[in-house]
Amino acid sequence: MFRTAVRNLLAHKARLLMTMLAVLLGVAFVAGTLVFTDTVSNAYKQQSLTSLNHVSVQAEPPFDQKIGEPGTVGKDTLRSLRRLPGVASVTGTIEGFTAVAGKDGAPIGVKHSTMGGNYFPQADGKDNRHPLTAGRAPSGPDEVLMDTSTADQGGYRLGDTVRLAVDGPVLHKKLVGLVRTDDTAASGATLVLFDDATAQKLFLAPGQYGGVTLEADRGTSEERLAAETRDLLPKDFDVSTGTQLREQERSDAADSATGLSQVLTVFAAIALFVGIFVIGNTFTMLVTQRSREMALMRAVGADRRQVTRSVLIEAALLGLCAGAAGFVLGIGVAVGIRQLFGATGSGFPDGPLIVSPRTVLVSFLVGVVVTMLAAYVPARRAAAVPPVAAMSAIHTPPPVRSLRRRNAIGVALLAIGVLGVLYTVSRGEEGRTTVFYPAALLLIGIIVMTPMLSGPAISLAGPLLRRFGVPGTLAPRNARRNPRRTASTASALMIGLSLVTGLTVVAVSTTASLHRGAENSVRADFEISAKNFDHLPASAHASLEKSAAVTSSSPQRETTVRTGDTEVDLTGVDPRTIGGLLDPSFVSGSLADLSAGGGKNLLIDTRTADLEGWSAGQRIPVVYENGDRDTLRIGGIYHDDEFLPSTMMPVATLQPHLKEIKDTSVLVRTKAGDGDDVRRSLERTLDRNPLVQVRNVEDLAEAAGGEAVTLLLNVLYALLAMAVVIAVLGVVNTLAMSVHERTREIGMLRAVGLQPEQAKLMIRLESLLISLFGALLGIGAGVFLGWAAGRFVTDSIRDYEMVIPWGRIAVALVGAALVGVLAGLWPARRAARLNVLTALKAD
């Protein structure tokens, strides 16, 4: 039977090529996912090992609750640590946000970490954390170092003047050296290093460090040095050994890679699931075409198990070949995925591709197991055909009763899936983690029901195709002839398009709701804020008020007050101008109440009111950050909105109680609206400070989630494209084998006058019907699943409304039609080129 299986495989290698491609692509996705995950995980591990190469012990001070900032370590502590036995070196560490502009004035590293720190030379004048590659160390407040990646991004060379900002005005520093780093500035981030005194002044206080690391002498264990460090430092310091830090870094890298791996594995599973339909179709048709051959095998003594085993051996050999090819292609897929994430701004550390023995084994196992599973049902069906029946007819159709049973099962699964989705949606947040299961049942139910749906759906298209003459009459009849095959082919396309449509509905609805919410709540043309989400320079609001382009403005000045046992954030705004800049939707009161009550009125959103149990008219005693006490009155309550502050009060009332005047943002209206020219004018007013960002309403909506949704959707489209490609191969394969199966029939049609061009058109129309049928099923299921997924977003996005993206749906339908036309080209050409006499002699 093994030799028979091998001969059959070689005899039908052309027919099995498409099936092998489907398995190959699925396996390639699995192998690529494993290689990519191993590669990224290893790169993170190597990065952490390099960055912690000279760290034996790390000590970090506790958070200072009094000032609400991280604690510090003084120079005296560093001197004491140097005197410990077994210490080779002690390094004081300083880190902080540092925005950098390129030579062209545009900020760099915008979507990544933009860090500054200190260059801490040891006795040899070098900082082991940052090896110099060119130039020298900074020797004063006007000099800086950059890592090579930052310099390349900004277009800087040694001797250039660098424009940067920490938490205030623009600073101009001379670039005197370049360093190599494998940690902070990797993957698009930026790193600027100052001399010790300058870094302390900019980020902490003179003589203070954010932490300290120790390197042990040879022969001194990390545990011993850590114990001595703990004895020297206060008990609330966090002291870790280098080994512990490296293990934590490995664990974090593994967790990051695992999460990404799970997402990619889901898409690999979808691709393989779609491939199962292609494999099942192929083996069903091959088995049907070889019915006489198998009947003869049964007649000469082969039993059912042997026939089944022969087909499964074919499938195993095919899966083995596909697994090998898929593994090789998977390495290329891993490189492609890495470049894809890099292009979207999610850069990863550099490192070699890691191909583990596990990846090789899994690739071959997936190829073999998936192919054998898909071929099992056709194999059993072939073995069940009686020898006499098979020898007397080319094809014995499955009993009608089995199709009825399948339809009943499909209806039941569909009903359970729909009801399950509706139930999980009704549960709100609790149903978010379980909605996947009824959604899967719903899709499976549609797949099972597809044979029942294919007949009526294709019949409806019949009148539209009659204008194509005989080919238009024959195409729907051919598509309806074997509803199982048509359904299986259409289901492969349906799965991919249902997921694409569902994701598109959620993404478009979310983006539209965010933009609508921003436009409804924000009347200002621009919001000026700091890129580190901290405070603007103190001069920002004053500069904007003086700008000739600005017609009105209001700062948003925040502080935290204590009321009872809780703390609440208060935001000060200008009551005279805020009405033209923000438009809250009030439950009670109005913005006019800010000016009433002698400046003691406080407006709050519904979320704050619910959390604190406050109501309109209630008086709230508060204690400001400087210790002053006051009583504020709740003058109004408005609906909570992510584009509005949670509280508002007159800035003139708040300002005397602030230790330092800093604005979280400034809202402005301009004479010329929110165009790019006005934006550039405001940026010039603010000295093109790389710390400051000027955003209009559209930018605010994108920052609130629209940009992330669009980015995620594009990545998911790219990943789901694999499933769609496999579905296209399935259409091509089904039609090609269908043409082979109907060779005699096509020959007879040609003999009675069907022209070659008409034969081509018949096959193309059949392909078009199958593709559009699968597309319509997928779009319908996707819209419903998109609606269900959107219900879970309503809690986080107020006024969320589902938007059906008719334009993209139309593009999907046109794409499906194009897929049908292209998929039918090769089979149609084969049908048109059949020799009439040869075709009439075919079995």
Side-chain angles (χ1 to χ4, degrees), residues 590-663:
S590 68
L591 283 174
D593 290 315
L594 275 176
S595 302
K600 300 293 185 178
N601 275 355
L602 174 67
L603 306 181
I604 62 174
D605 65 10
T606 50
R607 185 183 296 273
T608 302
D610 292 340
L611 287 174
E612 303 297 335
W614 294 343
S615 58
Q618 184 176 348
R619 296 188 178 276
I620 309 298
V622 298
V623 180
Y624 292 100
E625 61 178 8
N626 66 349
D628 294 344
R629 296 178 179 273
D630 200 356
T631 299
L632 303 177
R633 176 182 174 273
I634 307 298
I637 300 176
Y638 52 91
H639 289 287
D640 67 282
D641 193 309
E642 55 194 310
F643 301 104
L644 300 173
S646 59
T647 63
M648 286 186 277
M649 66 179 294
V651 68
T653 303
L654 179 67
Q655 185 167 311
H657 307 289
L658 300 179
K659 293 181 179 179
E660 186 178 3
I661 297 177
K662 288 184 176 180
D663 299 328

Side-chain angles (χ1 to χ4, degrees), residues 748-769:
M748 292 180 65
L749 290 171
R750 292 285 309 283
V752 297
L754 190 72
Q755 298 300 312
E757 290 301 320
Q758 289 179 307
K760 284 183 181 180
L761 182 58
M762 178 183 68
I763 300 300
R764 290 172 184 166
L765 290 176
E766 183 181 350
S767 174
L768 180 65
L769 278 174

Side-chain angles (χ1 to χ4, degrees), residues 50 54 119 126-134 145-148 177-182 193:
T50 303
H54 296 278
Y119 187 83
K126 299 178 181 179
D127 187 337
N128 293 329
R129 301 171 301 166
H130 310 295
L132 277 166
T133 60
L145 298 177
M146 276 185 175
D147 77 291
T148 52
L178 299 175
V179 300
R180 185 183 74 251
T181 180
D182 298 308
L193 299 175

Side-chain angles (χ1 to χ4, degrees), residues 77-79 81-83 87-92 120-122 212-215:
T77 302
L78 265 66
R79 283 193 287 267
L81 290 171
R82 285 195 186 97
R83 292 193 288 269
V87 173
S89 65
V90 174
T91 300
F120 193 96
Q122 301 294 334
V212 59
T213 62
L214 293 79
E215 183 178 5

Side-chain angles (χ1 to χ4, degrees), residues 96-116 146-147 149-156 163 165 184-192 345-347 531-533 690-691 693 707:
F97 177 87
T98 302
V100 186
K103 289 188 73 174
D104 60 358
I108 59 176
V110 174
K111 296 183 179 180
H112 302 275
S113 171
T114 50
M115 298 298 297
M146 276 185 175
D147 77 291
S149 172
T150 304
D152 290 341
Q153 290 183 66
Y156 287 114
R163 298 178 71 252
T184 307
S187 307
T190 61
L191 177 66
V192 178
S346 303
K531 291 177 182 173
N532 61 345
F533 306 104
L691 171 69
Q693 56 186 351
E707 183 179 3

Side-chain angles (χ1 to χ4, degrees), residues 258-565:
T258 299
L260 185 57
S261 174
Q262 290 173 346
V263 173
L264 295 176
T265 301
V266 168
F267 288 99
I270 292 170
L272 287 170
F273 185 61
V274 173
I276 286 175
F277 291 96
V278 181
I279 302 165
N281 258 0
T282 302
F283 276 92
T284 297
M285 288 186 283
L286 282 177
V287 165
T288 302
Q289 292 167 12
R290 286 157 42 197
S291 294
R292 285 188 175 181
E293 174 189 328
M294 293 182 176
L296 182 61
M297 291 173 58
R298 292 284 308 280
V300 297
D303 58 23
R304 290 187 177 186
R305 290 184 179 179
Q306 288 177 306
V307 174
T308 302
R309 194 180 307 134
S310 173
V311 177
L312 291 179
I313 290 173
E314 288 182 48
L317 292 174
L318 178 69
L320 196 64
C321 296
F327 164 71
V328 175
L329 181 61
I331 297 176
V333 170
V335 175
I337 294 175
R338 188 169 180 174
Q339 291 177 344
L340 173 66
F341 278 95
T344 57
S346 303
F348 295 104
D350 293 329
L353 283 176
I354 303 298
V355 181
S356 66
R358 176 197 63 167
T359 302
V360 180
L361 179 62
V362 169
S363 299
F364 281 93
L365 282 177
V366 166
V368 172
V369 171
V370 168
T371 310
M372 290 182 68
L373 284 175
Y376 180 73
V377 173
R380 287 292 303 271
R381 188 176 297 157
V385 177
V388 175
M391 293 177 71
S392 63
I394 296 298
H395 173 60
T396 303
V400 177
R401 185 178 62 183
S402 67
L403 200 55
R404 289 175 180 170
R405 184 169 59 246
R406 171 173 174 163
N407 292 339
I409 294 173
V411 170
L413 289 174
L414 180 62
I416 294 172
V418 171
L419 292 174
V421 169
L422 294 175
Y423 172 71
T424 53
V425 167
S426 67
R427 296 181 62 195
E429 193 75 22
E430 296 179 2
R432 180 175 295 181
T433 57
T434 57
V435 71
F436 170 80
Y437 302 104
L441 278 180
L442 184 150
L443 290 177
I444 293 172
I446 294 176
I447 292 169
V448 176
M449 285 179 59
T450 307
M452 180 179 71
L453 299 173
S454 62
I458 292 174
S459 297
L460 289 174
L464 299 175
L465 300 179
R466 285 175 189 164
R467 68 186 190 88
F468 293 100
V470 175
T473 303
L474 293 176
R477 293 180 181 179
N478 291 333
R480 290 198 310 268
R481 179 181 302 179
N482 192 326
R484 291 174 182 271
R485 185 186 305 165
T486 299
S488 184
T489 307
S491 294
L493 195 58
M494 182 271 290
I495 295 169
L497 282 179
S498 64
L499 296 174
V500 169
T501 304
L503 292 170
T504 302
V505 168
V506 174
V508 171
S509 300
T510 299
T511 303
S513 298
L514 288 171
H515 280 267
R516 185 170 57 251
E519 291 171 358
N520 291 338
S521 300
V522 182
R523 293 180 175 178
D525 292 317
F526 292 98
E527 181 199 70
I528 292 84
S529 59
K531 291 177 182 173
N532 61 345
F533 306 104
D534 199 351
H535 297 93
L536 286 169
S539 60
H541 183 227
S543 300
L544 290 167
E545 279 190 313
K546 296 175 183 177
S547 172
V550 175
T551 57
S552 65
S553 66
S554 171
Q556 294 194 88
R557 219 160 270 172
E558 287 188 0
T559 188
T560 301
V561 298
R562 194 171 67 255
T563 171
D565 297 329

Side-chain angles (χ1 to χ4, degrees), residues 748-809:
M748 292 180 65
L749 290 171
R750 292 285 309 283
V752 297
L754 190 72
Q755 298 300 312
E757 290 301 320
Q758 289 179 307
K760 284 183 181 180
L761 182 58
M762 178 183 68
I763 300 300
R764 290 172 184 166
L765 290 176
E766 183 181 350
S767 174
L768 180 65
L769 278 174
I770 294 173
S771 297
L772 287 177
F773 173 57
L776 288 172
L777 283 180
I779 289 170
V783 169
F784 176 73
L785 294 177
W787 167 83
R791 306 319 299 166
F792 297 111
V793 183
T794 54
D795 291 337
S796 54
I797 301 179
R798 193 169 70 89
D799 297 331
Y800 175 89
E801 292 181 6
M802 188 180 81
V803 176
I804 298 180
W806 296 111
R808 298 194 188 191
I809 287 177

